[in-house]
Structures are given as C-alpha cells and as structure tokens.
Amino acid sequence: MSSTPTSTSPMSSTPNARTDAGAHAPRNRPGPHSGGRVQSGSTSAGSTSAGSTSPRASRTANKPAPSLSWSRARAVAARAGRGGPLIAVRLPLDRALGHVLAEPLGALTDLPSFDTSAMDGWAVAGPGPWAFEAGAGILAGHAPATALPDGAAVRIATGARVPPDTTAVIRSEHAYADEAKGLLHAERSVATGQDIRPRGQECRSGEQLVPAGTVVTPAVLGLAAAAGYDALPAVPRPRVDILVLGDELLAVGLPHDGLIRDALGPMLGPWLRALGAEVAGPRRLGDDAGALRDALAASDADLIVTTGGTASGPVDHVHPVLAELGAELLVDGVAVRPGHPMLLARLPASGPSGPHTAGRPEGQRDATAEQRKESPDGPYLVGLPGNPLAAVSGLVTLVEPLLAGLAGRPAQDAYRALVHAEVHGHPHDTRIVPVVHRAGRAGGRDHVAPLRYNGPAMLRGIAAADGLAVVEPGGVRSGTEVEILDLPWAPATPWTEGCFT
C-alpha cells in the first residue's frame, strides 16, 4: 500500500508499556510444560512468568513468578499498543475503508452549503395562489439566477438550490397546477420553510463530524465526500507476520502417521484482518530454532504472531530464541484456561532502515522510520499456544488489545450477560468459554448459553459461537452475569445453536 505520511500524530499520552506495565525479561524456565506447541489432542498443563526483573538486566531468574492474571495481561497488551506515537498518512477515499482516522474529521463547508429543496415540487414566495410559467423549472446543479417575487411559483427538483426569497416548497402531490390560468393552488396549509433544507442544517464549516479513532466505514466515506474530502488522515494498518511452528503439521490432506492438519495457519490471517491488520500469508517453519531466529530478525512487520513452541519442551524454541535476540518479555504466561503459555515480547529494533522496515511500500517505510526514531524497540511478538482454542484465547487476551492500540482503534467495550447454565471454572485461573446469544422468551432477558466443545484442542464450539464468556476462577451458576467478548465478525444476535450445545 502506497501512502503519504503527513505527520507523527501522538494520539495517546500513555507512557511506554515497559515503564508502567511490568516488563519481564527472558529467563531459564525449569520443568517441561505440555501444550505449548501441540495443535490437537493434549491439554496445556502449565506456564510461568517472570516477575519485576528490570528489562534486559538479567536473562535468568532463580525463582519463577506466577503468571499474570487475565485482566492484567490484557491491560499490559493494551498499554503496549498505545505506548508509541501513531503515524498519520493521507489515503484517498477509495483506499481508506477500514482504516482508523488519525485526526478528527472537521467539516470543510456548511452542509448543505446552500438552501436546497427537500422534495420535488414547487418553490413559492408569499401567499397563494401563485403564478407560474409553463415549462420553467429549477434542476439540481443549476443555480437560480434571480429572486422569486411574491405571488410567484416555479417548479423545483429535489436537491436544487431554492431561489432567494422563497417562502416554502410545496410537494408536487400537495399542489394543483391550473395550466389554463397559470396558477398554482396548495391543497394543504403551507408553513414557512417547509421542505427546505436550510444551509448548515447538518453541520457548519469547521464543526467536528467524527472524532479521531473512528473506523472508516462506508457511511464515514460518504460523509467525508459530502463534507469536501478527497483523502483522509488515517493510521496505517498494523502489519502482521504469522509464523507457524511444528514439524507435525500438514498443510493439506488428511492427518496420518502422527501428523495433523495445521488449523491455525488458515484461521489466523482472516481473524487478524477482521481486527484491522494487514496480514502476510502464514509461513511454516517447523521446529527449527535457526529458521525462527532468522524469520524474526528479517520481519518488517509491526507484530509477529507465532503458533506453538511457547512452553519449554525439547522443541519449544520461542523463549530461547527471544532471549538470544535480546527481546523484552512483557507477558510470560497468563492465568487463563485454555492458553496460559501465551507470551508478549518486544524485539529490539534493527534501525530505521534495517530489516524491520525493508520491503514495506515507500510511504509506510517512511512512516515506520519516523516511528523508529521515537522508540529504540522493534516489532512486538505474541506467542500463541499451539492448541487451537488456546490460540484463540491468546488472540482475545493479547493480540486484540495490542492491535487496537497500534491501529488507534477504540478498545472493545466490555459488557455482561446472563448465562443460562452452570459453567465450571478453574480453581485459580480465568476460563474462556465459547457462547451463543439467545433472545429471551415470554418477557425473559436475553442471555448466553455455553457451547459444549470447549477443550483446548477443539474448534467446533468456537465455530458456532458469537462470543466468548470470561469465567472467573471457581465458575458461575446459571442465572448469573458473566463478562462477554464479541467475536470480531459476529454481532451479539441470537443464533440457532444446532448440535453445538
């Protein structure tokens, strides 16, 4: 995407996440943790997190600290995304859809910019009946030359500029034109100003139409065009690379001989695009520490998402490679099921013209260079567990709030809904459970129902879901409220759950 940078526009005064989010340094991780890279068949068993070790001061820790709480981890990711200035580029209207406004959108003119007719009919001046000339009329796009004298009428089209001194517009269906006498009669009472859209009715020049941070929808494009814009100041979409790890993964065909299909490669790209990112096709690296290190060093993305390898088994290379590159761990394990071995890290920068900016379109490369001047750090990395639903948990816990900050989007509003079933909880960790919304019956309240297929390696439940319930440790009883996260493509509307509940 070629775009022209206009300015470095800080849209948040939030301090850098490393100073207020509890940064964590890489360290040795004692003991194996299952589930960090498996895409099917096993349940993640554990993870640990660094404590308050200062960034890059020590690469080891004698005593692992507990994982961050789910809400704390999301807050860290959100602050990290908002930690740097946002870059504004000007995008033509036909390329701005889905981007976020970097600046408030102010009206460049009054809307409408002149008094216009709201209906097809007759412009009249003074009391009736009104004299008119056969064949005369005012069309949209043609300015009337003279004022309308008292007692006169002229045909007028919707959107046409009304003549000066017009009292009202009479709709065609509410008027009788006597062609023989050249007189117009109103069949209903006429009020001054009726069916005239006065200048500035919608807005005055300079008035704010929508604030910064608004996602550019088709309606925003129409409003911008009406207000006189040819291009919009927008935040470039965050660029995301996906690295799929695991020798056991197949790209095509049926599972066989201990090999399984890669479920995350096909799922992550569309999911991340729905969150407003520009996503490259997934790269499958297998269990190769050298390939992972080279891919991280060469990436030009704002965010790198890896799948699998986040625990500390014999082929889980994410932590050692991050330590070798000098990355800063912001989140190392989250107290959430499924998905607790997830992590969030910040890679060191390779310089404004180094490998983290090479390969971008020119406008984005320039904008990224400016951003690199503001920060000594490189792209973020989110390490997702390999189990599919565990990876979904990582998406909503770390990726969604991080991308919202990077793109200047508003964070998802949390809301609560009744749950019509007992939902078992973990003794200590938050649970993420796929749910479906249902309309209340016989005056009852709308509610959500949990879906059965919610194991770490299962996607059947999330495929039928339109939301995720955040279940506090210990679980909830039927009839209580739980926090709900909407999925980015599924509005909270009732579904028919079929065989999925």
Side-chain angles (χ1 to χ4, degrees):
M1 180 178 70
S2 176
S3 47
T4 304
T6 56
S7 62
T8 301
S9 304
M11 289 172 56
S12 172
S13 59
T14 306
N16 190 287
R18 292 167 300 150
T19 60
D20 69 344
H24 304 285
R27 53 180 169 74
N28 294 332
R29 296 160 59 84
H33 299 283
S34 63
R37 58 181 292 276
V38 180
Q39 287 220 17
S40 176
S42 66
T43 303
S44 301
S47 180
T48 55
S49 168
S52 57
T53 307
S54 61
R56 303 188 177 100
S58 172
R59 298 304 170 194
T60 62
N62 295 328
K63 198 177 207 180
S67 300
L68 291 180
S69 70
W70 180 80
S71 59
R72 172 73 170 155
R74 273 178 60 89
V76 169
R79 282 196 292 270
R82 298 192 305 265
L86 291 172
I87 307 303
V89 296
R90 295 199 67 82
L91 296 178
L93 294 187
D94 62 356
R95 291 174 46 215
L97 183 67
H99 287 75
V100 172
L101 290 177
E103 302 167 8
L105 194 67
L108 301 179
T109 182
D110 295 343
L111 285 182
S113 55
F114 46 81
D115 294 348
T116 63
S117 176
M119 292 288 171
D120 291 332
W122 298 84
V124 299
W130 302 270
F132 68 91
E133 295 181 14
I138 304 172
L139 300 177
H142 297 268
T146 59
L148 195 62
D150 274 358
V154 63
R155 284 191 181 276
I156 193 166
T158 302
R161 185 170 187 167
V162 299
D165 299 333
T166 296
T167 301
V169 170
I170 304 173
R171 302 183 188 190
S172 297
E173 61 268 28
H174 297 163
Y176 167 67
D178 186 337
E179 301 286 349
K181 296 182 179 179
L183 290 176
L184 178 76
H185 300 271
E187 296 182 336
R188 296 188 181 184
S189 60
V190 177
T192 300
Q194 75 179 29
D195 288 326
I196 295 175
R197 293 186 63 211
R199 176 174 181 166
Q201 182 185 52
E202 186 169 3
C203 65
R204 290 291 183 181
S205 180
E207 185 178 341
Q208 179 175 305
L209 300 176
V210 289
T214 298
V215 177
V216 178
T217 63
V220 170
L221 289 175
L223 177 61
Y229 284 87
D230 300 316
L232 294 177
V235 181
R237 290 191 183 99
R239 289 168 55 93
V240 181
D241 283 344
I242 300 170
L243 304 179
V244 178
L245 313 181
D247 289 339
E248 75 278 16
L249 303 178
L250 294 169
V252 295
L254 293 173
H256 62 87
D257 300 325
L259 302 177
I260 60 174
R261 281 294 297 271
D262 169 28
L264 296 180
M267 180 178 74
L268 289 180
W271 196 305
L272 294 166
R273 291 185 190 99
L275 294 175
E278 180 181 331
V279 188
R283 293 181 57 193
R284 293 177 173 85
L285 301 182
D287 292 316
D288 187 328
L292 175 60
R293 180 179 59 252
D294 292 345
L296 297 185
S299 174
D300 68 344
D302 302 297
L303 168 64
I304 303 165
V305 175
T306 64
T307 69
T310 55
S312 53
V315 291
D316 290 335
H317 300 304
V318 174
H319 281 90
V321 169
L322 290 177
E324 182 180 347
L325 293 175
E328 176 187 356
L329 279 174
L330 303 176
V331 175
D332 190 10
V334 179
V336 64
R337 304 297 175 114
H340 56 285
M342 68 183 73
L343 62 88
L344 168 62
R346 189 77 185 264
L347 293 168
S350 299
S353 58
H356 290 310
T357 59
R360 284 183 185 266
E362 189 64 33
Q364 288 191 36
R365 185 159 63 251
D366 293 345
T368 304
E370 290 298 322
Q371 199 168 24
R372 295 285 181 254
K373 293 176 184 178
E374 298 291 333
S375 170
D377 296 310
Y380 288 100
L381 180 142
V382 171
L384 301 177
N387 273 322
L389 191 58
V392 168
S393 177
L395 284 173
V396 300
T397 302
L398 299 178
V399 176
E400 186 272 329
L402 178 68
L403 279 179
L406 292 175
R409 288 174 176 256
Q412 183 178 158
D413 290 333
Y415 68 96
R416 303 182 71 83
L418 288 178
V419 59
H420 272 207
E422 182 178 359
V423 184
H424 297 291
H426 187 272
H428 310 293
D429 296 349
T430 299
R431 278 193 71 204
I432 302 296
V433 178
V435 296
V436 64
H437 288 76
R438 293 179 181 168
R441 297 179 180 177
R445 288 178 59 183
D446 294 351
H447 59 276
V448 297
L451 300 174
R452 272 191 350 204
Y453 299 99
N454 54 31
M458 297 181 179
L459 286 177
R460 189 173 175 182
I462 193 67
D466 54 17
L468 294 166
V470 181
V471 180
E472 297 294 331
V476 295
R477 295 181 178 180
S478 180
T480 59
E481 289 188 340
V482 291
E483 182 178 347
I484 301 296
L485 300 174
D486 285 335
L487 298 175
W489 57 84
T493 53
W495 278 46
T496 300
E497 66 281 356
C499 63
F500 296 100
T501 55

